[in-house]
Amino acid sequence: MSKEIVSDAEVTIVFDGNRCIHSRNCVLDRPDVFVPNVQGAWIHPERASADEALEIAHNCPSGAIQVQKPDGTAMEKAPIVNTVRVRENGPLAFHAPLTIGDTPDGYRATLCRCGASKNKPYCDGSHATSGFVATGEPATTPSEPLAQRNGPLQVEPTHNGPLHVTGDMELVSGTGRTLNRVTDAWLCRCGHSANKPYCDGTHAKIGFVAE
């Protein structure tokens, strides 16, 4: 699915179907703006204020929904705390000023950790059909508060290997518990680590293939 761009006098909504993980926050919270199960136009920015449209975007974990002013000026700001949320039986949800590979990538992204996505490093929902099972409540690793909690986060999907993430970040469980505070992490994306969400080298044993 290609990007859809819809504008009114106050705001432009950009929807990237290739990144959508169908969390359904948009159609549940604002079914007047994102109208489900209709033919033709289904995105209606004129039914929300600019602030309301921004709130819809903030509730989209994958970054599939972006909002801009009509002149193209960005509306979203970087978070005060960079987080990587471990979703139960699902992807890693990043909220930070992201660069993925060599490309600046906004502030929100859900990256595959089941190994089955056809849109790596992004999640495409394959965890739901591949039988992927992984807790969203892994054990806490003792850690000290970071001197800085925000700033750029670099995500490097390594060849046939894990996500190498550098920058100040807090790993957070599905219930909001702090799992770890780090500035450098190797996160599993093959789906088979025995130490999820961290890589334990299993990708090499199972022949995981990913650019």
Side-chain angles (χ1 to χ4, degrees):
M1 183 185 297
S2 60
K3 288 185 179 180
E4 298 182 53
I5 302 174
V6 187
S7 300
D8 77 344
E10 288 193 52
V11 66
T12 294
I13 294 178
V14 181
F15 175 76
D16 184 352
N18 289 326
R19 292 182 65 152
C20 180
I21 62 167
H22 305 290
S23 62
R24 301 186 68 235
N25 293 336
C26 57
V27 298
L28 291 174
D29 293 345
R30 290 302 301 263
D32 56 332
V33 179
F34 285 83
V35 184
N37 305 318
V38 295
Q39 296 293 324
W42 69 289
I43 302 173
H44 295 275
E46 73 279 2
R47 298 174 181 173
S49 69
D51 286 343
E52 289 171 337
L54 181 58
E55 182 178 2
I56 295 170
H58 282 157
N59 288 333
C60 175
S62 67
I65 298 172
Q66 303 282 339
V67 294
Q68 306 167 352
K69 294 181 180 178
D71 64 2
T73 304
M75 294 174 59
E76 190 169 358
K77 297 181 180 179
I80 296 173
V81 180
N82 291 340
T83 55
V84 182
R85 295 183 181 272
V86 181
R87 294 172 66 102
E88 185 86 10
N89 301 332
L92 298 167
F94 287 74
H95 189 201
L98 293 167
T99 297
I100 299 180
D102 297 324
T103 305
D105 205 40
Y107 300 120
R108 290 167 287 114
T110 45
L111 302 188
C112 175
R113 71 176 182 129
C114 75
S117 172
K118 296 177 176 61
N119 189 35
K120 297 182 185 72
Y122 302 100
C123 171
D124 70 353
S126 292
H127 55 272
T129 55
S130 68
F132 178 64
V133 176
T135 182
E137 299 293 329
T140 298
T141 300
S143 60
E144 295 296 324
L146 298 170
Q148 181 173 316
R149 305 175 77 189
N150 58 4
L153 207 65
Q154 174 72 46
V155 181
E156 188 64 41
T158 62
H159 183 65
N160 298 338
L163 298 171
H164 184 202
V165 187
T166 53
D168 297 292
M169 73 194 104
E170 299 192 14
L171 275 70
V172 181
S173 78
T175 58
R177 176 170 50 89
T178 298
L179 301 173
N180 206 352
R181 307 173 182 92
V182 295
T183 59
D184 192 297
W186 299 82
L187 302 178
C188 175
R189 66 174 181 140
C190 75
H192 292 274
S193 171
N195 189 35
K196 299 181 188 72
Y198 310 103
C199 172
D200 68 356
T202 301
H203 58 272
K205 299 176 184 177
I206 65 170
F208 176 66
V209 176
E211 295 301 320

